[in-house]
């Protein structure tokens, strides 16, 4: 073995921020959603809400670009989770999704109980909180085929998105 990197599995040099617990939510079409549908796939998550004045429309526009690049790739999914479950009922979330080219077979918009959203946003991904206030990160989060969080990427600059797509490609091969 000449180079250490060539001996290891692809993606093994990415950090492991822990496993995403199983979760159940509702998609923007009103259908039940289980995290089990993401098993064996590499996925990108972000946290948004439909009333957000600035960051969420920008993030969702950028995610649309990502979705177009990954269109037709069966082993990749995108999950946009609302941090405002009180207001973002499925019809509201679906209307928002449609403005940005979603939902698609690959790109799902989710809402759920405040407890589930808190578990994911605050406890699991550490990107925001919904209990008592609505706040969230503008990061895109990369999750591997085993459900482990492998990276956080800026959604506000092209370099962060390019780095995410590169790492996503590595994880797909791994």
């Amino acid at each position: 073995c000449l180079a250490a990197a060539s001996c290891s599995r692809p993606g093994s040099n990415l950090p492991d921020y822990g496993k995403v617990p199983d979760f159940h939510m509702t998609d923007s079409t009103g259908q039940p959603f289980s995290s089990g549908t993401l098993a064996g796939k590499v996925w990108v998550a972000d946290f948004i809400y439909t009333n957000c004045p600035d960051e969420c429309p920008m993030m969702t526009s950028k995610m649309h670009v990502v979705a177009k690049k990954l269109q037709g790739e069966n082993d990749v999914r995108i999950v946009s989770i609302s941090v405002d479950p009180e207001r973002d009922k499925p019809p509201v979330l679906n209307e928002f999704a449609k403005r940005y080219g979603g939902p698609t077979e690959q790109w799902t918009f989710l809402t759920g109980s405040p407890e589930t959203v808190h578990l994911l946003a605050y406890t699991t991904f550490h990107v925001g909180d919904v209990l008592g206030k609505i706040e969230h990160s503008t990061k895109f989060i990369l999750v591997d085929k085993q459900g482990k969080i492998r990276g956080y990427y800026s959604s506000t600059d092209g370099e962060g998105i390019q780095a995410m797509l590169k790492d996503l490609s590595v994880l797909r091969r791994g």
Side-chain angles (χ1 to χ4, degrees):
C1 200
L2 298 172
S6 66
C7 300
S8 63
R9 289 192 344 272
S12 60
N13 61 339
L14 292 175
D16 180 346
Y17 294 107
K19 190 157 173 44
V20 178
D22 289 336
F23 62 91
H24 297 275
M25 299 182 86
T26 303
D27 75 18
S28 62
T29 66
Q31 296 302 304
F33 180 90
S34 165
S35 59
T37 63
L38 300 169
K41 298 181 185 342
V42 177
W43 50 288
V44 178
D46 71 344
F47 290 83
I48 51 109
Y49 64 103
T50 63
N51 265 8
C52 180
D54 301 317
E55 291 89 356
C56 301
M58 179 277 301
M59 289 171 65
T60 308
S61 292
K62 299 275 178 85
M63 194 64 92
H64 177 66
V65 172
V66 170
K68 287 199 321 202
K69 286 182 190 293
L70 299 170
Q71 196 167 358
E73 303 295 348
N74 292 336
D75 60 341
V76 180
R77 292 291 180 270
I78 299 169
V79 180
S80 292
I81 301 169
S82 170
V83 293
D84 187 6
E86 296 301 322
R87 279 192 282 215
D88 288 345
K89 304 297 183 213
V92 173
L93 198 53
N94 208 45
E95 205 47 51
F96 179 82
K98 285 179 180 175
R99 272 185 263 155
Y100 298 94
T104 66
E105 195 175 310
Q106 277 181 286
W107 188 9
T108 307
F109 288 74
L110 297 174
T111 187
S113 70
E115 296 75 25
T116 299
V117 173
H118 179 76
L119 168 75
L120 293 172
Y122 187 76
T123 309
T124 303
F125 289 106
H126 308 289
V127 292
D129 196 5
V130 295
L131 300 182
K133 59 192 173 298
I134 295 174
E135 60 180 38
H136 66 96
S137 166
T138 58
K139 300 278 189 209
F140 288 167
I141 307 138
L142 186 60
V143 181
D144 70 15
K145 293 178 182 183
Q146 288 74 46
K148 293 180 185 163
I149 302 166
R150 301 303 295 273
Y152 291 84
Y153 305 84
S154 171
S155 67
T156 60
D157 70 60
E159 286 175 31
I161 293 170
Q162 289 300 54
M164 180 190 73
L165 289 169
K166 183 174 149 284
D167 290 347
L168 183 145
S169 181
V170 168
L171 289 175
R172 287 180 67 201
R173 290 193 303 268

